[in-house]
Short mmCIF file of all heavy atoms in Angstrom, two decimals:
data_model
loop_
_atom_site.label_atom_id
_atom_site.label_comp_id
_atom_site.label_asym_id
_atom_site.label_seq_id
_atom_site.Cartn_x
_atom_site.Cartn_y
_atom_site.Cartn_z
N HIS A 539 78.94 144.87 66.02
CA HIS A 539 78.69 146.27 66.05
C HIS A 539 77.32 146.53 66.68
O HIS A 539 76.34 145.88 66.25
CB HIS A 539 78.73 146.90 64.61
CG HIS A 539 78.52 148.39 64.66
ND1 HIS A 539 79.49 149.23 65.04
CD2 HIS A 539 77.46 149.13 64.35
CE1 HIS A 539 79.05 150.46 64.99
NE2 HIS A 539 77.82 150.44 64.54
N PRO A 540 77.20 147.38 67.57
CA PRO A 540 78.26 148.13 68.24
C PRO A 540 78.91 147.29 69.37
O PRO A 540 78.33 146.31 69.84
CB PRO A 540 77.49 149.32 68.88
CG PRO A 540 76.14 148.71 69.19
CD PRO A 540 75.86 147.74 68.06
N VAL A 541 80.04 147.73 69.81
CA VAL A 541 80.73 147.15 70.96
C VAL A 541 81.03 148.30 71.92
O VAL A 541 81.67 149.26 71.50
CB VAL A 541 82.03 146.39 70.60
CG1 VAL A 541 82.75 145.96 71.85
CG2 VAL A 541 81.72 145.24 69.66
N LEU A 542 80.57 148.20 73.11
CA LEU A 542 80.88 149.14 74.19
C LEU A 542 81.87 148.49 75.14
O LEU A 542 81.71 147.30 75.45
CB LEU A 542 79.66 149.60 74.91
CG LEU A 542 78.77 150.55 74.18
CD1 LEU A 542 77.76 149.78 73.35
CD2 LEU A 542 78.11 151.49 75.08
N SER A 543 82.86 149.22 75.56
CA SER A 543 83.79 148.61 76.54
C SER A 543 84.22 149.60 77.60
O SER A 543 84.09 150.81 77.40
CB SER A 543 84.99 148.07 75.82
OG SER A 543 85.79 149.12 75.26
N LEU A 544 84.64 149.04 78.64
CA LEU A 544 85.09 149.79 79.82
C LEU A 544 86.34 149.12 80.32
O LEU A 544 86.31 147.91 80.58
CB LEU A 544 83.99 149.82 80.85
CG LEU A 544 84.25 150.58 82.13
CD1 LEU A 544 84.46 152.02 81.88
CD2 LEU A 544 83.04 150.40 83.06
N LYS A 545 87.47 149.83 80.41
CA LYS A 545 88.73 149.26 80.90
C LYS A 545 88.93 149.59 82.37
O LYS A 545 88.85 150.77 82.74
CB LYS A 545 89.87 149.79 80.06
CG LYS A 545 91.20 149.02 80.35
CD LYS A 545 92.24 149.45 79.31
CE LYS A 545 93.51 148.52 79.55
NZ LYS A 545 94.51 148.87 78.49
N LEU A 546 89.09 148.55 83.14
CA LEU A 546 89.20 148.70 84.61
C LEU A 546 90.27 147.77 85.19
O LEU A 546 90.61 146.76 84.56
CB LEU A 546 87.87 148.35 85.32
CG LEU A 546 86.68 149.24 84.97
CD1 LEU A 546 85.41 148.57 85.46
CD2 LEU A 546 86.86 150.62 85.63
N GLN A 547 90.73 148.05 86.36
CA GLN A 547 91.61 147.11 87.10
C GLN A 547 90.82 145.86 87.47
O GLN A 547 89.58 145.91 87.59
CB GLN A 547 92.17 147.77 88.36
CG GLN A 547 93.07 148.95 88.06
CD GLN A 547 94.30 148.50 87.28
OE1 GLN A 547 94.91 147.47 87.61
NE2 GLN A 547 94.67 149.25 86.28
N SER A 548 91.46 144.76 87.67
CA SER A 548 90.75 143.47 87.84
C SER A 548 89.77 143.43 88.97
O SER A 548 88.65 142.91 88.81
CB SER A 548 91.80 142.36 88.03
OG SER A 548 92.65 142.60 89.10
N ASN A 549 90.03 144.01 90.13
CA ASN A 549 89.10 143.95 91.20
C ASN A 549 87.85 144.79 90.89
O ASN A 549 86.71 144.43 91.25
CB ASN A 549 89.68 144.38 92.55
CG ASN A 549 90.27 145.78 92.53
OD1 ASN A 549 90.61 146.32 91.47
ND2 ASN A 549 90.45 146.33 93.69
N GLU A 550 88.05 145.94 90.28
CA GLU A 550 86.91 146.78 89.89
C GLU A 550 86.15 146.12 88.70
O GLU A 550 84.92 146.21 88.65
CB GLU A 550 87.37 148.18 89.43
CG GLU A 550 87.94 148.97 90.58
CD GLU A 550 88.59 150.30 90.10
OE1 GLU A 550 89.04 150.33 88.94
OE2 GLU A 550 88.62 151.23 90.90
N LEU A 551 86.89 145.51 87.80
CA LEU A 551 86.26 144.88 86.62
C LEU A 551 85.33 143.73 87.07
O LEU A 551 84.20 143.66 86.56
CB LEU A 551 87.38 144.30 85.74
CG LEU A 551 86.92 143.54 84.48
CD1 LEU A 551 86.13 144.45 83.60
CD2 LEU A 551 88.12 143.00 83.76
N LEU A 552 85.76 142.97 88.03
CA LEU A 552 84.90 141.89 88.52
C LEU A 552 83.62 142.44 89.14
O LEU A 552 82.54 141.97 88.83
CB LEU A 552 85.66 140.99 89.52
CG LEU A 552 84.87 139.80 90.13
CD1 LEU A 552 84.37 138.88 88.99
CD2 LEU A 552 85.72 139.09 91.12
N ARG A 553 83.76 143.44 90.00
CA ARG A 553 82.57 144.00 90.63
C ARG A 553 81.61 144.62 89.54
O ARG A 553 80.40 144.45 89.60
CB ARG A 553 82.96 145.04 91.65
CG ARG A 553 83.55 144.44 92.89
CD ARG A 553 83.59 145.45 94.07
NE ARG A 553 84.17 146.73 93.70
CZ ARG A 553 85.35 147.14 94.08
NH1 ARG A 553 86.11 146.34 94.79
NH2 ARG A 553 85.82 148.29 93.74
N ALA A 554 82.15 145.33 88.61
CA ALA A 554 81.36 145.94 87.54
C ALA A 554 80.64 144.89 86.68
O ALA A 554 79.50 145.01 86.37
CB ALA A 554 82.26 146.84 86.66
N TYR A 555 81.43 143.87 86.33
CA TYR A 555 80.85 142.75 85.51
C TYR A 555 79.64 142.12 86.18
O TYR A 555 78.59 141.98 85.60
CB TYR A 555 81.91 141.75 85.25
CG TYR A 555 81.51 140.47 84.53
CD1 TYR A 555 81.11 140.49 83.23
CD2 TYR A 555 81.52 139.24 85.21
CE1 TYR A 555 80.69 139.36 82.55
CE2 TYR A 555 81.12 138.10 84.56
CZ TYR A 555 80.72 138.15 83.24
OH TYR A 555 80.33 137.01 82.63
N LEU A 556 79.82 141.76 87.45
CA LEU A 556 78.73 141.11 88.19
C LEU A 556 77.55 142.04 88.36
O LEU A 556 76.40 141.65 88.26
CB LEU A 556 79.26 140.57 89.51
CG LEU A 556 80.30 139.46 89.43
CD1 LEU A 556 80.84 139.11 90.81
CD2 LEU A 556 79.78 138.25 88.70
N HIS A 557 77.83 143.30 88.69
CA HIS A 557 76.77 144.27 88.85
C HIS A 557 75.99 144.51 87.60
O HIS A 557 74.77 144.55 87.63
CB HIS A 557 77.37 145.62 89.38
CG HIS A 557 76.38 146.63 89.72
ND1 HIS A 557 75.61 146.59 90.87
CD2 HIS A 557 75.94 147.72 89.05
CE1 HIS A 557 74.80 147.59 90.91
NE2 HIS A 557 74.95 148.32 89.79
N ILE A 558 76.67 144.69 86.49
CA ILE A 558 76.00 144.96 85.21
C ILE A 558 75.19 143.74 84.75
O ILE A 558 74.04 143.89 84.32
CB ILE A 558 77.03 145.38 84.15
CG1 ILE A 558 77.47 146.80 84.47
CG2 ILE A 558 76.41 145.28 82.72
CD1 ILE A 558 78.62 147.31 83.63
N LYS A 559 75.72 142.53 84.94
CA LYS A 559 74.90 141.37 84.62
C LYS A 559 73.65 141.32 85.43
O LYS A 559 72.57 140.98 84.94
CB LYS A 559 75.73 140.07 84.71
CG LYS A 559 76.76 139.92 83.57
CD LYS A 559 77.27 138.54 83.42
CE LYS A 559 76.21 137.62 82.95
NZ LYS A 559 76.66 136.62 81.98
N GLY A 560 73.80 141.68 86.71
CA GLY A 560 72.62 141.70 87.60
C GLY A 560 71.59 142.77 87.15
O GLY A 560 70.42 142.48 87.09
N ARG A 561 72.08 143.93 86.85
CA ARG A 561 71.17 145.02 86.45
C ARG A 561 70.48 144.70 85.13
O ARG A 561 69.34 145.14 84.91
CB ARG A 561 71.93 146.34 86.32
CG ARG A 561 72.43 146.96 87.61
CD ARG A 561 71.33 147.69 88.39
NE ARG A 561 70.76 148.77 87.68
CZ ARG A 561 71.17 150.04 87.64
NH1 ARG A 561 72.23 150.36 88.35
NH2 ARG A 561 70.54 150.91 86.92
N LEU A 562 71.14 143.93 84.26
CA LEU A 562 70.51 143.53 82.96
C LEU A 562 69.69 142.26 83.15
O LEU A 562 69.18 141.73 82.13
CB LEU A 562 71.60 143.37 81.90
CG LEU A 562 72.36 144.65 81.50
CD1 LEU A 562 73.46 144.31 80.50
CD2 LEU A 562 71.40 145.68 80.97
N GLU A 563 69.61 141.78 84.35
CA GLU A 563 68.88 140.55 84.69
C GLU A 563 69.38 139.38 83.86
O GLU A 563 68.58 138.56 83.38
CB GLU A 563 67.38 140.78 84.52
CG GLU A 563 66.83 141.87 85.41
CD GLU A 563 65.37 142.14 85.24
OE1 GLU A 563 64.71 141.50 84.41
OE2 GLU A 563 64.86 143.03 85.98
N GLN A 564 70.69 139.25 83.76
CA GLN A 564 71.29 138.11 83.10
C GLN A 564 71.80 137.14 84.16
O GLN A 564 72.45 137.58 85.12
CB GLN A 564 72.45 138.56 82.21
CG GLN A 564 72.02 139.38 81.04
CD GLN A 564 73.12 139.78 80.11
OE1 GLN A 564 74.31 139.41 80.32
NE2 GLN A 564 72.81 140.56 79.07
N SER A 565 71.46 135.89 84.03
CA SER A 565 71.90 134.90 85.02
C SER A 565 73.41 134.69 84.98
O SER A 565 74.05 134.82 83.98
CB SER A 565 71.13 133.57 84.82
OG SER A 565 71.44 133.05 83.50
N LEU A 566 73.93 134.37 86.16
CA LEU A 566 75.36 134.10 86.27
C LEU A 566 75.60 132.59 86.04
O LEU A 566 74.87 131.78 86.58
CB LEU A 566 75.85 134.51 87.66
CG LEU A 566 75.78 135.98 88.03
CD1 LEU A 566 76.18 136.20 89.45
CD2 LEU A 566 76.61 136.81 87.08
N THR A 567 76.65 132.32 85.27
CA THR A 567 77.00 130.92 85.06
C THR A 567 77.86 130.45 86.24
O THR A 567 78.32 131.29 87.08
CB THR A 567 77.83 130.76 83.77
OG1 THR A 567 79.08 131.45 83.93
CG2 THR A 567 77.07 131.32 82.59
N LYS A 568 78.18 129.17 86.29
CA LYS A 568 79.07 128.65 87.36
C LYS A 568 80.42 129.32 87.19
O LYS A 568 81.08 129.66 88.20
CB LYS A 568 79.23 127.15 87.26
CG LYS A 568 78.05 126.32 87.74
CD LYS A 568 78.33 124.89 87.92
CE LYS A 568 78.61 124.25 86.59
NZ LYS A 568 78.79 122.78 86.66
N ASP A 569 80.88 129.55 85.98
CA ASP A 569 82.18 130.23 85.75
C ASP A 569 82.13 131.64 86.23
O ASP A 569 83.11 132.13 86.80
CB ASP A 569 82.55 130.17 84.28
CG ASP A 569 82.91 128.80 83.76
OD1 ASP A 569 83.29 127.94 84.63
OD2 ASP A 569 82.83 128.57 82.54
N ASP A 570 81.04 132.37 86.05
CA ASP A 570 80.90 133.71 86.56
C ASP A 570 81.01 133.76 88.07
O ASP A 570 81.70 134.57 88.63
CB ASP A 570 79.57 134.34 86.18
CG ASP A 570 79.37 134.64 84.66
OD1 ASP A 570 80.43 134.75 83.99
OD2 ASP A 570 78.26 134.72 84.23
N ILE A 571 80.33 132.84 88.72
CA ILE A 571 80.32 132.78 90.17
C ILE A 571 81.74 132.47 90.76
O ILE A 571 82.15 133.02 91.76
CB ILE A 571 79.28 131.79 90.68
CG1 ILE A 571 77.87 132.31 90.28
CG2 ILE A 571 79.39 131.54 92.18
CD1 ILE A 571 76.78 131.26 90.46
#
C-alpha cells in the first residue's frame, strides 16, 4: 500500500515502463533491456 497502476496495450506498456524508470532514475536490468 499504496499501489498505483496503469493498464495499457503491450507496445504502449513497454514504452511507458522504460520511460517511467528513466524519469525516476532507476537503472534498467538486463531483463528490462
Side-chain angles (χ1 to χ4, degrees):
H539 183 74
V541 174
L542 285 89
S543 68
L544 181 60
K545 190 170 186 176
L546 298 166
Q547 295 297 316
S548 57
N549 59 338
E550 294 172 332
L551 178 61
L552 180 58
R553 287 196 311 254
Y555 173 69
L556 296 174
H557 185 77
I558 288 171
K559 286 200 66 142
R561 289 280 302 272
L562 295 177
E563 299 179 0
Q564 295 183 0
S565 59
L566 298 175
T567 66
K568 285 193 293 184
D569 290 337
D570 290 339
I571 294 167

